[in-house]
Amino acid sequence: MMKQIRHSITDKELLSKRREQICKVATELFMAQGFRETGMRAIAEACGLTIGALYRYIGSKDDLLWLSTEYGNSYHERLLKEMRERVKGLSPVEALKESIRMYFQNADELQGLYNLHNHIVWTASKELRQTIFDREIQKVEYFTQLLTEGVKAGEFEIEDTYLVAHNIVVAANAWANRRWLLKKRYTLEEYIRKQTDSILASIRANKKPVSRAQSVSKN
C-alpha cells in the first residue's frame, strides 16, 4: 500500500501533473547530488516553484521517495499490460524477443528511477523497500511465464525458468545502472540485440518461430 502524502491541492489533475514533474526533477537532483545533500529549496527552484508552493504538493523530502515509487509502479503496470497485449498471438520465441525489447527500452527511459531505487532500497523504510521488491518480483514472474510457455511448446530448453527470467531483468537493470559505460561500446539497439541473441542461445530457442496453432496442436 502506498503512503498517503499530505497536500493542499483540490484539483486532482493538477496535483498529479505537478507531482510527476516534481518527482522527475527531484530524481535527477538526487542522482546528481545525493539524496541527503539535496535540499527542498534546490528542488523547488529546479521546478520553478517557491518553497511554499512546493509544500502544497508534498509534505517532506521523504515523500518524494514514495512518489518516485508510485510513479515507477504506474509505469511498470502500464508496461506489463502493453507487453501482454503486444505478444498476443505470437510464438513463444517472438513473444520473448518483443518483451525483451520493450522492457529494455523502458529501463533506458526510466534510468533515473531505476538508479534511484537501487541506491535507496536498503536504507528506505521497510514498507517502501517491500514496494520496490514487489515490483521487481512481478517483472520476473512475467518473464518466467513466457519462458514456461516456450518450454511447454517445445521451443525452449530450460532447466530453471525462474533463474533465466531473473537474469533477463538483471540485464535490463544493468543497462540503466551502467549505461554510462555500456554506451561507449553499444547503442541501446545493439545492446538489446546482443543480449537477446545471448538469451535465446542459452535456452536453445528454435530459430524458426512456431505458430500459436502449432503450439496448441503439440499439446
Side-chain angles (χ1 to χ4, degrees), residues 38-205:
T38 303
M40 291 293 282
R41 191 169 298 278
I43 295 171
E45 291 176 355
C47 292
L49 300 170
T50 64
I51 190 70
L54 178 61
Y55 278 114
R56 294 186 65 198
Y57 297 94
I58 60 172
S60 68
K61 189 167 69 170
D62 285 340
D63 287 345
L64 291 169
L65 295 181
W66 279 99
L67 276 181
S68 71
T69 304
E70 182 177 302
Y71 284 118
N73 288 347
S74 65
Y75 277 116
H76 161 69
E77 290 171 2
R78 289 200 299 269
L79 175 65
L80 287 183
K81 182 178 179 180
E82 289 173 4
M83 288 196 296
R84 291 189 179 100
E85 289 295 323
R86 190 76 62 86
V87 303
K88 282 183 178 179
L90 297 181
S91 70
V93 168
E94 294 304 315
L96 180 60
K97 290 167 62 176
E98 181 65 9
S99 294
I100 290 173
R101 182 190 67 79
M102 293 178 67
Y103 180 56
F104 278 47
Q105 287 180 341
N106 178 259
D108 181 68
E109 293 170 4
L110 300 183
Q111 180 196 25
L113 282 177
Y114 275 76
N115 289 339
L116 175 62
H117 292 163
N118 282 337
H119 276 77
I120 60 92
V121 67
W122 296 113
T123 57
S125 67
K126 181 178 179 181
E127 293 79 11
L128 182 59
R129 183 165 62 246
Q130 190 59 53
T131 299
I132 296 173
F133 286 167
D134 289 344
R135 186 172 69 224
E136 293 301 305
I137 290 170
Q138 290 174 3
K139 296 173 184 177
V140 174
E141 288 176 343
Y142 172 84
F143 282 104
T144 300
Q145 182 179 358
L146 278 187
L147 295 167
T148 300
E149 291 176 357
V151 171
K152 291 179 178 178
E155 291 197 37
F156 305 152
E157 295 180 23
I158 308 173
E159 181 178 344
D160 190 334
T161 55
Y162 183 86
L163 183 58
V164 175
H166 172 78
N167 289 341
I168 292 172
V169 173
V170 169
N173 290 350
W175 175 261
N177 298 333
R178 300 177 64 81
R179 188 171 66 176
W180 60 273
L181 176 61
L182 291 168
K183 286 190 72 173
K184 295 179 180 179
R185 296 182 65 93
Y186 315 107
T187 65
L188 173 61
E189 292 72 22
E190 289 171 338
Y191 183 76
I192 293 174
R193 176 176 56 79
K194 288 179 177 292
Q195 288 287 4
T196 301
D197 288 346
S198 177
I199 292 164
L200 293 179
S202 72
I203 62 178
R204 293 182 286 279

